[in-house]
Amino acid sequence: YPLWIFPEKKLSLKEVMGLVRDHYEGTELDMTTGIEAGPFGSPQRWRPLSWEEEGKSYAWERPISTYNTCFSFIAQARAPLPNDLGGVCWFGFDDTYFTVYLPLYMGINETPESYRKGDIRQYDPSAMWWAMNFVSNYAHLKYSYMIKDIQEIQNRLEDQMIAEQDSIGMWYSNKMLEDKNAILQNYVNTRAELILKEWNQLGYQLIAKYNDGYIKPDSGGVLTPGYPEEWKNEMIRQQPEKHLIPDWNKEGRQEVNPF
């Protein structure tokens, strides 16, 4: 592959976020399709990524967006602005497809507390990494359904922070303000608290909404969607007799009405 690919137009921050959130959707390597993705289209392929069978070697595709991601960031450099304001590191923990990118300005003195704590061997909902990691792991139980709930909140939070950048710039440029960097620090801390709160709530909501194979829509009621037709047909193709209910009449047996 070429080292560089030049885009046909200037890319927006949102488009760059989309580039790092990719499982080859829409291509022949689309990891959300096929029997490998399971009944609910999960793009994850758990390790080991390669194996051997009967003298042949096999391997899963490795996506750009992988569950092994500890953290990722998108560096935004805006030359016309002061360094403390113009340099932004949009930072997110865990899998890029599930994270929410927080703008960390070069002018802040420290990262938010939830970004500075966490033990990989002990779940802690006050640590941002664990909040993100819980949602991304749980989502693969019913990925094709849960990802819609996740992206709704993900887009709302990121779109809000992107839209707020002009306002932050106006506040920072106000000559009457003495400690301009305190504005940046307060904004980053406030948004980090919001993300942590929303993501923990999202995890709890997913547990309740997708419990025991059921789906409880926000509108009320309980749904039993079962498995996708394509996946069931493939199961029947591989094992045509295993789940077949016998037709007793055709086998010459008397039908008994249990009721």
Side-chain angles (χ1 to χ4, degrees), residues 153-221:
I153 299 177
Q154 180 190 63
N155 286 324
R156 173 169 57 80
L157 290 172
E158 288 182 344
D159 290 347
Q160 175 185 347
M161 290 183 287
I162 291 173
E164 289 170 342
Q165 297 315 296
D166 288 341
S167 297
I168 296 297
M170 292 176 60
W171 295 338
Y172 189 90
S173 300
N174 189 336
K175 296 181 180 180
M176 299 298 292
L177 298 173
E178 295 182 2
D179 191 355
K180 296 183 179 182
N181 286 9
I183 296 175
L184 301 179
Q185 186 71 62
N186 181 66
Y187 174 77
V188 170
N189 289 343
T190 301
R191 288 294 168 259
E193 292 172 2
L194 175 63
I195 294 172
L196 182 65
K197 177 183 177 181
E198 294 253 8
W199 228 244
N200 277 321
Q201 288 180 344
L202 173 60
Y204 303 145
Q205 290 168 1
L206 292 177
I207 292 174
K209 184 174 181 178
Y210 300 94
N211 179 257
D212 289 340
Y214 298 101
I215 298 179
K216 306 179 187 72
D218 297 335
S219 57

Side-chain angles (χ1 to χ4, degrees), residues 93-94 98-100 128-136 195 199:
F93 277 121
D94 202 50
F98 298 89
T99 196
V100 174
M128 188 67 75
W129 185 85
W130 270 116
M132 296 290 174
N133 189 264
F134 176 83
V135 169
S136 66
I195 294 172
W199 228 244

Side-chain angles (χ1 to χ4, degrees), residues 216-231:
K216 306 179 187 72
D218 297 335
S219 57
V222 178
L223 303 178
T224 54
Y227 295 97
E229 291 298 319
E230 181 180 357
W231 188 82

